[in-house]
Amino acid sequence: MLLDKIITLALAAVFLIALSCEGPSANETATESIPQKRTLLHEPAFWDYAASSNMLQVEVARVAAATSSTERIRSIAAEAMEFHTQALEELKALAQQHENIPLPDSLGAADTGLVLEFKLLEGEELDTHFREFVISTHHAQLDRYEEALLKADDAKTRDWLMDMRAHLRQEIHLLAEADSTETAGE
């Protein structure tokens, strides 16, 4: 009976020693609980999204500027094409300032397919789809850029995001205004 108690005590001591050796130390636990700063530099999905969405805006605007049935939409599309081309160049310059931020060189397959769909549209159908496309994509971009602004690492990136937000809101307003003007004229 005494031998059973000694064996039980020894096993309990070995178990406690094993637990203390395998667990994290107090310093490790404190370090793990400190949240790491989230930055845009560590989010390649944001940079890919920003570049891809600007490339897509340029290509869709190019189609609308060339084939829209109204001067108003052609004008808005031409301005959008110019703005998003410049925004893409600025984004490339920002990405080059940081290591490990690759940007896509061309549209992905889905975006290329969307541009081809726009090329098949004509007249009022093209104008309607262009307005709907710009308004919906700009709202999505505004959401992404709002989130990104909270994580922006430097003043140049924050300035780029602020410029993008202002332009996206302006385009939404112009297209909504164009839509209400055309509806009132009917």
Side-chain angles (χ1 to χ4, degrees):
M1 185 145 166
L2 180 63
L3 186 58
D4 288 340
K5 288 184 180 182
I6 293 174
I7 291 174
T8 303
L9 187 59
L11 288 174
V14 169
F15 178 73
L16 290 174
I17 291 171
L19 282 177
S20 67
C21 290
E22 291 179 24
S25 69
N27 289 341
E28 290 173 340
T29 304
T31 304
E32 290 175 10
S33 65
I34 298 172
Q36 298 295 320
K37 182 180 176 187
R38 293 181 60 195
T39 70
L40 284 182
L41 297 177
H42 304 297
E43 293 191 24
F46 164 77
W47 297 92
D48 183 78
Y49 173 80
S52 297
S53 61
N54 277 287
M55 285 190 286
L56 180 58
Q57 294 293 332
V58 168
E59 294 306 316
V60 169
R62 186 182 323 275
V63 173
T67 60
S68 173
S69 64
T70 66
E71 180 57 38
R72 178 110 168 124
I73 295 296
R74 284 193 302 273
S75 174
I76 291 171
E79 290 173 19
M81 188 172 58
E82 185 178 317
F83 177 85
H84 288 286
T85 298
Q86 181 63 35
L88 185 57
E89 291 305 314
E90 292 171 8
L91 184 68
K92 288 177 183 178
L94 286 172
Q96 287 177 349
Q97 293 176 2
H98 306 289
E99 294 180 22
N100 302 325
I101 299 181
L103 296 179
D105 296 356
S106 60
L107 291 175
D111 290 344
T112 301
L114 187 59
V115 173
L116 290 174
E117 286 178 30
F118 269 92
K119 287 179 178 180
L120 297 174
L121 300 174
E122 294 178 352
E124 200 174 303
E125 188 178 21
L126 171 70
D127 295 349
T128 300
H129 277 76
F130 177 73
R131 275 194 299 271
E132 290 171 354
F133 167 80
V134 170
I135 290 171
S136 68
T137 58
H138 282 22
H139 281 294
Q141 285 177 289
L142 280 169
D143 291 343
R144 291 290 292 264
Y145 294 161
E146 293 285 338
E147 293 172 15
L149 196 55
L150 298 174
K151 302 174 195 174
D153 302 294
D154 59 275
K156 289 181 181 178
T157 302
R158 283 190 298 277
D159 289 345
W160 184 86
L161 288 164
M162 295 295 285
D163 288 346
M164 289 300 298
R165 290 172 52 221
H167 173 77
L168 296 173
R169 287 185 182 119
Q170 179 186 11
E171 272 192 353
I172 290 169
H173 177 73
L174 285 173
L175 286 166
E177 188 178 89
D179 192 30
S180 65
T181 303
E182 288 176 16
T183 304
E186 292 178 359

